[in-house]
């Protein structure tokens, strides 16, 4: 029987009943790293309005038919029938008659929690061979490992718990006045390049050939759309250009606007070569499970009642009470948090409602209340604590929930 997640999210009268998150604002230096980065970015916008880097021009008509040079049918807008068809094709019963899908949310450093869940789940031998894996932001960085499963968990662990990840936030200083992004994106580029190897590309292509699908979402700032990339189709292309595009998409999906510079992905449309500006997929959606085209379909071509959706939320749905100080910076920072959490809750609601309407099951896990929810705290203490919390949730059997209980 499908879980009734929507009712569980709502209190009497249909109003959301989750508490707002905790926050101890006092001065700018006491703000959480994500809040500080956003506030710094806002300040830099006012100081560097004339420091705009040039871009080539292109028209909406050119963009509408554009694709990366040499690649076709590797990406779709989230509301396109073509994307719905890709997902419907993937969600076919395996040899045991099961259909399982995994969605990985954004969350920056909090992605260590999801990595810990996947590590212990793989280690236990009970993680399904998902027909569909989707990732947004930090979830996009984890998605290839979740897609490949057994034999890749150690690479995932190293990516999230060893040296390089601790140095992702490398300040650019005054140089940030002249370029987009408060922090250098080079460490993120290097981290992704370190594991997007030829053997990973071959492994993803092989699973794609079996009918499984790995999808990653970015936000196209030029069109204000969520764009979903078929990473298996890219990997199947083969060669250095495919590996380069694969890495570009992962980096773009994890590039928080204002924190890291956007990714300019070269494309061609109507014979005109230009670059699209892509940023964090979480700008549009906290996670990506069911495309609008499939939500709006009156009768999907697949039996959704057989589908089990697993969602790893690299954050906390439940908030904590705190009195917000009557000052501009704490109010602004708390507002950022409120908007992000509202987007996350709404995505959970819409996915849960889809499952209720079509009979599929939805299970989710989020960061335990005892842990700190801080997307830009890449310190070893925070990252390792979250990774351990993810592992322990699986090992103790407390990871997966079917209802979001009101306080």
């Amino acid at each position: 029987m499908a879980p009734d997640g929507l009712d569980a999210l709502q209190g009497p009268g249909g109003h959301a009943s989750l508490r707002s998150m905790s926050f101890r604002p006092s001065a700018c230096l006491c703000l959480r790293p994500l809040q500080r980065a956003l506030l710094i970015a806002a300040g830099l916008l006012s100081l560097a309005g004339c420091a705009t880097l040039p871009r080539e021009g292109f028209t909406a008509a050119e963009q509408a038919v554009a694709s990366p040079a040499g690649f076709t049918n590797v990406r779709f807008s989230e509301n396109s029938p073509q994307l719905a068809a890709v997902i419907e094709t993937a969600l076919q019963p395996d040899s045991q008659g099961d259909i399982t899908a995994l969605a990985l949310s954004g969350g920056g450093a909090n992605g260590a929690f999801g990595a810990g869940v996947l590590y212990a789940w793989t280690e236990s031998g009970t993680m399904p061979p998902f027909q569909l894996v989707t990732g947004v932001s930090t979830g996009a960085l984890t998605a290839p490992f979740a897609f490949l499963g057994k034999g890749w968990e150690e690479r995932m662990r190293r990516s999230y718990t060893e040296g390089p990840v601790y140095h992702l936030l490398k300040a650019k200083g005054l140089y940030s006045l002249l370029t987009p992004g408060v922090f250098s994106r080079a460490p993120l580029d290097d981290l992704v390049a370190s594991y997007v190897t030829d053997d990973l590309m071959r492994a993803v292509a092989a699973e794609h050939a079996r009918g499984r699908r790995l999808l990653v979402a970015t936000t196209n700032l030029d069109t204000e759309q969520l764009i979903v990339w078929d990473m298996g189709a890219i990997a199947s292309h083969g060669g250095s250009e495919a590996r380069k595009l694969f890495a570009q998409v992962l980096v773009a999906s994890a590039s928080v606007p204002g924190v890291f510079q956007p990714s300019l992905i070269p494309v061609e449309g109507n014979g005109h070569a230009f670059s699209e500006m892509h940023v964090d997929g979480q700008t549009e959606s906290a996670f990506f499970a069911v495309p609008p085209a499939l939500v709006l379909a009156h009768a999907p071509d697949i039996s959704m009642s057989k589908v089990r959706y697993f969602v790893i939320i690299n954050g906390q749905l439940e908030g904590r009470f705190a009195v917000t100080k009557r000052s501009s910076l704490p109010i602004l920072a708390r507002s950022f948090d409120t908007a992000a959490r509202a987007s996350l809750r709404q995505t959970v609601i819409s996915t849960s409602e889809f499952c209720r309407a079509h009979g599929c099951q939805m299970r989710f896990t989020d960061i335990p209340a005892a842990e700190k929810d801080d997307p830009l705290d890449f310190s070893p203490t925070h990252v390792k604590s979250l990774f351990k919390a993810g592992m322990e949730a699986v090992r103790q059997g407390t990871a997966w929930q079917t209802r979001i209980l009101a306080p």
Side-chain angles (χ1 to χ4, degrees), residues 237-398:
H237 186 277
S240 60
E241 289 303 311
R243 189 174 65 251
K244 179 180 178 181
L245 179 59
F246 195 101
Q248 280 182 319
V249 172
L250 294 184
V251 169
S253 186
S255 295
V256 180
V259 177
F260 296 117
Q261 68 176 359
S263 290
L264 293 176
I265 298 181
V267 296
E268 291 183 0
N270 288 339
H272 181 198
F274 55 95
S275 295
E276 297 172 340
M277 184 177 286
H278 288 257
V279 296
D280 192 346
Q282 194 172 343
T283 306
E284 277 282 333
S285 183
F287 63 88
F288 176 79
V290 183
L294 197 57
V295 172
L296 298 174
H298 296 294
D301 292 338
I302 55 177
S303 176
M304 296 301 298
S305 63
K306 296 181 180 179
V307 178
R308 290 183 299 154
Y309 267 108
F310 292 89
V311 180
I312 295 179
I313 298 171
N314 293 305
Q316 292 172 337
L317 283 174
E318 294 277 2
R320 299 173 188 170
F321 172 80
V323 176
T324 305
K325 289 196 173 182
R326 194 175 175 183
S327 179
S328 296
L329 292 181
I331 291 171
L332 181 59
R334 189 67 179 255
S335 298
F336 279 127
D337 276 342
T338 300
R341 202 172 302 279
S343 173
L344 176 57
R345 288 198 298 263
Q346 186 55 50
T347 307
V348 172
I349 289 173
S350 62
T351 305
S352 177
E353 177 64 8
F354 175 86
C355 283
R356 182 168 68 172
H358 294 282
C360 56
Q361 297 182 13
M362 174 183 163
R363 302 174 185 178
F364 73 94
T365 185
D366 65 341
I367 294 175
E371 295 293 322
K372 184 173 65 171
D373 177 355
D374 198 335
L376 287 191
D377 182 357
F378 287 94
S379 67
T381 300
H382 183 233
V383 168
K384 290 180 178 180
S385 179
L386 286 178
F387 189 85
K388 181 180 179 181
M391 290 194 299
E392 289 303 311
V394 173
R395 291 170 178 171
Q396 296 174 10
T398 61

Side-chain angles (χ1 to χ4, degrees), residues 4-5 7-10 17-18 313 317-318 345 348-349 362 364 401-406:
D4 192 354
D7 289 345
L9 267 172
Q10 296 178 336
S17 57
L18 293 174
I313 298 171
L317 283 174
E318 294 277 2
R345 288 198 298 263
V348 172
I349 289 173
M362 174 183 163
F364 73 94
Q401 307 173 51
T402 57
R403 291 178 63 84
I404 305 171
L405 300 177

Side-chain angles (χ1 to χ4, degrees), residues 3-27:
D4 192 354
L6 180 63
D7 289 345
L9 267 172
Q10 296 178 336
H15 297 292
S17 57
L18 293 174
R19 296 186 297 269
S20 58
M21 71 172 289
S22 66
F23 177 57
R24 294 177 298 177
S26 57

Side-chain angles (χ1 to χ4, degrees), residues 109 112 115 119 153-169 187 190-192 194-195 377-385 387:
Y119 185 88
E153 66 273 22
E154 279 300 321
R155 296 196 200 189
M156 177 182 64
R157 182 193 63 77
R158 291 195 298 269
S159 296
Y160 270 91
T161 65
E162 294 188 358
V165 74
Y166 307 143
H167 307 291
L168 284 184
L169 299 186
D190 292 342
L191 176 63
V192 171
S194 71
Y195 68 78
D377 182 357
F378 287 94
S379 67
T381 300
H382 183 233
V383 168
K384 290 180 178 180
S385 179
F387 189 85

